Amino acid sequence: MSDMPRKAVSRTARLAALPLSFAGRATLGLGKRLGGRPADVVAAELQQQTAEQLFSTLGRLKGGAMKFGQAMSVFESALPEEVAGPYRAALTKLQDSAPAMPTRTVHSVLAEQLGPDWRELFQEFEDVPAAAASIGQVHRAVWRDGRVVAVKIQYPGAGDALLSDLSQLALLAKVLGPLIPGMDVKPLIAELRERVSEELDYELEAEAQRVHAEEFAGDADIAVPGVVSQTGTVLVTEWMDGTPLSQVITAGSQAERDRAGQLLSRFLFAGPSRTGLLHADPHPGNFRLLKTDGPVATWRLGVLDFGTVDRLPGGLPTPIGASLRLALAGDAHEVYRTLRQEGFVRPTITLDPDAVLAYLRPIIEPTTVEQFTFSREWMRSQAARIADPRSPAYELGKQLNLPPSYLLIHRVTLSTIGVLCQLGATVRLHEELTAWLPGFAED
């Protein structure tokens, strides 16, 4: 059996204990302050302890708890610096790793899915996992034809755990929400629930990865590992080395950050245009910077994990590019008309077009210049503007609507921007939009 805590009562108890622990820690902190300890010292200690407990719990539980943590982690750059500091290390660790399931469970799953002679498929198989994620873990191996491969194995009971966790996390949204200012946690959790069945289906994932691997084969900028085999809850793909984006974020040179940011932006917009699919899980653990002996400008971006995709046969919706172009031109009335037509403004709501354009202008700032430097400070300013009840943007934002068809696109775009801010990358975003976003460049 897996070490994944699968009983609903056990998992729920761990998650439900989080807000109680936070409250108890706050009470303890108050006691320390009354005892004469400096408030800033006590606050720093509390943040450190809270970060460690929250993400340690999410990581141990795997399933929906860890999936939520990974989705939330890309918004770390929106946190105020005094809060972000202690959370950053825990978030980055969660993006790339989680406790592994026992070797006996791994062998049992492989025998069940690939047959009792599964070892004959491999020249070598490493029992220690190379990576672990929310619903499965990856082992490095050598396929029977000599290719180095990644063997992705789904945790037994992952589906039940995902649904159970996300149901419980929905009840804790008020507690978890304040960790990310300006972000409504409930829709994020609801959307993650909708994607569970797709992510558990490795056949769908294999097909999405095949499409990307074929389209980007030989590409100068983007690399996707090919699919070698897929059976049930085991997916075998070509192995990809490289520097995880999380390491580029923490220790990369500015040139490496800029290159990674440019290619990440390119993949966000070129992917749907070239494949009809949107890679919908853009946290740093799913990307690698593929270095060579050549200049940084020639390095490629490796893309992993196609378990969650949005199917966009025509690429990203043309109204996104058209409304962005109109906003840059200052045409408030046409922007408003497009947003109403697409359902961003409900039929029962009437807004001032100029106020809507004023709301959008700071958000689209990266597209107004030839190149833009993304930063945590910029991200925080956007989050604070939208989250501050005293701000006009706060009131207007509450009246806008997010149509279901745009929900995943919206989250992926925000998540990618979050990663760009973590990188602190200078990106020629306008160039990518012109090349790949339908409706952005005038005919």
Side-chain angles (χ1 to χ4, degrees):
M1 298 293 288
S2 167
D3 66 344
M4 187 181 207
R6 288 161 60 188
K7 292 183 179 178
V9 173
S10 171
R11 300 179 65 79
T12 299
R14 292 196 186 195
L15 289 169
L18 288 174
L20 296 176
S21 297
F22 298 164
R25 199 168 290 126
T27 303
L28 177 62
L30 176 61
K32 289 182 177 179
R33 288 198 296 275
L34 292 176
R37 297 193 64 195
D40 56 344
V41 174
V42 174
E45 289 180 357
L46 293 178
Q47 289 292 347
Q48 182 72 39
Q49 294 166 6
T50 300
E52 289 175 355
Q53 184 197 1
L54 174 60
F55 295 106
S56 173
T57 298
L58 294 179
R60 283 199 309 273
L61 290 175
K62 302 187 178 83
M66 187 176 173
K67 176 57 64 179
F68 170 77
Q70 287 177 333
M72 194 174 69
S73 68
V74 296
F75 296 99
E76 166 268 327
S77 51
L79 292 167
E81 183 57 36
E82 64 273 15
V83 176
Y87 278 87
R88 193 167 295 141
L91 284 164
T92 301
K93 183 177 180 182
L94 180 62
Q95 288 164 355
D96 286 326
S97 62
M101 59 178 160
T103 300
R104 65 181 183 279
T105 306
V106 173
H107 293 176
S108 175
V109 173
L110 290 172
E112 178 184 332
Q113 298 294 322
L114 304 181
D117 299 326
W118 64 269
R119 287 191 179 276
E120 295 180 6
L121 297 172
F122 303 95
Q123 292 183 15
E124 300 174 19
F125 184 89
E126 296 182 8
D127 286 335
V128 177
S134 54
I135 67 167
Q137 64 189 39
V138 177
H139 292 255
R140 184 184 174 105
V142 178
W143 194 242
R144 56 190 171 191
D145 61 6
R147 281 182 290 176
V148 181
V149 295
V151 184
K152 186 174 180 179
I153 305 169
Q154 192 174 119
Y155 302 125
D160 292 341
L162 273 166
L163 293 171
S164 173
D165 290 350
L166 292 172
S167 295
Q168 181 64 24
L169 284 165
L171 301 176
L172 303 179
K174 288 185 178 179
V175 176
L176 299 169
L179 292 175
I180 307 296
M183 176 185 172
D184 190 348
V185 172
K186 280 191 174 180
L188 171 61
I189 296 173
E191 192 231 312
L192 288 174
R193 280 184 63 91
E194 291 180 9
R195 297 289 158 179
V196 165
S197 58
E198 280 196 19
E199 191 162 359
L200 291 168
D201 190 334
Y202 279 7
E203 185 176 355
L204 286 175
E205 178 174 350
E207 179 55 30
Q209 185 159 339
R210 282 192 191 97
V211 170
H212 280 86
E214 291 171 4
E215 173 60 35
F216 287 99
D219 191 89
D221 300 312
I222 307 297
V224 178
V227 175
V228 176
S229 174
Q230 183 273 318
T231 304
T233 58
V234 175
L235 173 62
V236 183
T237 65
E238 295 171 342
W239 182 265
M240 176 174 281
D241 285 314
T243 304
L245 223 56
S246 55
Q247 291 184 22
V248 180
I249 289 171
T250 56
S253 68
Q254 191 58 52
E256 292 171 350
R257 293 166 180 269
D258 292 346
R259 180 61 175 169
Q262 189 70 44
L263 295 182
L264 186 63
S265 304
R266 184 164 302 163
F267 182 68
L268 169 64
F269 295 104
S273 179
R274 293 175 60 174
T275 68
L277 298 169
L278 173 67
H279 182 287
D281 196 6
H283 72 78
N286 286 338
F287 299 96
R288 302 283 185 270
L289 191 57
L290 308 181
K291 302 179 180 181
T292 66
D293 294 333
V296 175
T298 65
W299 295 358
R300 294 191 298 167
L301 182 73
V303 185
L304 306 171
D305 198 340
F306 292 83
T308 306
V309 298
D310 199 5
R311 286 162 178 79
L312 304 170
L316 290 165
T318 300
I320 295 178
S323 59
L324 186 52
R325 171 171 50 79
L326 293 166
L328 293 179
D331 194 336
H333 288 278
E334 278 302 303
V335 170
Y336 182 68
R337 186 188 67 80
T338 303
L339 293 179
R340 179 177 285 283
Q341 182 176 316
E342 290 301 302
F344 288 92
V345 181
R346 295 185 181 92
T348 56
I349 298 290
T350 300
L351 300 173
D352 177 8
D354 290 320
V356 172
L357 184 58
Y359 174 86
L360 294 174
R361 274 203 177 103
I363 302 172
I364 65 174
E365 181 185 1
T367 70
T368 63
V369 290
E370 184 177 340
Q371 61 182 29
F372 182 82
T373 300
F374 289 86
S375 67
R376 289 183 165 95
E377 292 73 24
W378 179 80
M379 185 78 163
R380 286 183 207 120
S381 69
Q382 297 304 315
R385 182 176 70 95
I386 296 171
D388 187 351
R390 299 166 297 180
S391 166
Y394 174 82
E395 286 301 324
L396 193 146
K398 288 197 304 182
Q399 299 178 75
L400 292 175
N401 178 52
L402 184 59
S405 61
Y406 283 92
L407 183 60
L408 196 55
I409 296 171
H410 179 70
R411 181 170 74 80
V412 171
T413 303
L414 283 181
S415 298
T416 303
I417 290 173
V419 177
L420 293 175
C421 290
Q422 289 177 324
L423 284 165
T426 298
V427 175
R428 301 181 306 280
L429 188 61
H430 195 281
E431 175 184 311
E432 303 300 342
L433 296 174
T434 302
W436 301 109
L437 182 60
F440 182 74
E442 290 191 74
D443 295 334

